[in-house]
Amino acid sequence: MANIALLDKRPSLIPCSFRIRMSLKQITLKEVSEHNSMKSLWFVIGNKVYDVTKFVDEHPGGCEVLLEQAGKDATEAFEDVGHSTDARAMKEEYIVGEIVEEERKLYSYDKKPQQKWNTDKDKDNKVRNQNGPLDALVTPALIAIAIALVYYLLLA
């Protein structure tokens, strides 16, 4: 029974990303902009706020790269660099909150095209099965071009 009580108190059993999603502090962009120095360095990536103050000296690209984005939305800069999967996972350790709903941005990777599905199956099949007069010539023409190209390359 003592082991079960011990397991319940160990926060490491709950994945970090799950714990983060449960209770993210709501932060304004103005508040983020106040943390723009080596003593307190925050920035936004994908509407999440990260405090990377403790990571500044460890950053492989140097502290200048982080200081350049301090207090700002660094989403584009982060994505443009092409960070590794490990770096993307590591950033979750530094999350302190998320941008308040009213100030959130929609990023290009958030935009998903809306697909319109055609529910009229008979009409869809009729359109799909209609062939123009030249459609029957396309395949033989492509084969003839391929044969001519091979013949030209081998005998030239």
Side-chain angles (χ1 to χ4, degrees), residues 15-28 31 42-51 91-101 104:
C16 181
S17 59
F18 180 73
R19 281 184 280 146
I20 289 168
R21 288 189 195 117
M22 290 183 345
S23 59
L24 284 177
K25 179 182 175 189
Q26 301 297 299
I27 301 171
T28 64
E31 187 178 349
W42 290 13
F43 50 66
V44 178
I45 299 175
N47 292 315
K48 300 279 192 285
V49 180
Y50 298 88
D51 178 355
K91 78 178 167 95
E92 298 305 315
E93 297 173 26
Y94 299 98
I95 195 164
V96 291
E98 65 184 351
I99 297 299
V100 294
E101 188 75 35
R104 289 187 187 160

Side-chain angles (χ1 to χ4, degrees), residues 67-126:
L67 277 170
E68 189 176 306
Q69 298 301 320
K72 302 185 217 172
D73 188 330
T75 305
E76 187 175 340
F78 183 83
E79 295 300 332
D80 286 349
V81 171
H83 284 89
S84 67
T85 307
D86 291 340
R88 291 175 183 281
M90 183 188 296
K91 78 178 167 95
E92 298 305 315
E93 297 173 26
Y94 299 98
I95 195 164
V96 291
E98 65 184 351
I99 297 299
V100 294
E101 188 75 35
E102 305 83 49
E103 296 180 351
R104 289 187 187 160
K105 293 182 182 176
L106 184 65
Y107 299 100
S108 60
Y109 53 82
D110 291 334
K111 297 175 187 172
K112 295 179 182 169
Q114 297 295 323
Q115 292 184 350
K116 295 180 181 177
W117 297 100
N118 188 355
T119 57
D120 187 2
K121 291 181 183 176
D122 292 334
K123 180 181 174 186
D124 188 36
N125 287 336
K126 286 178 187 173

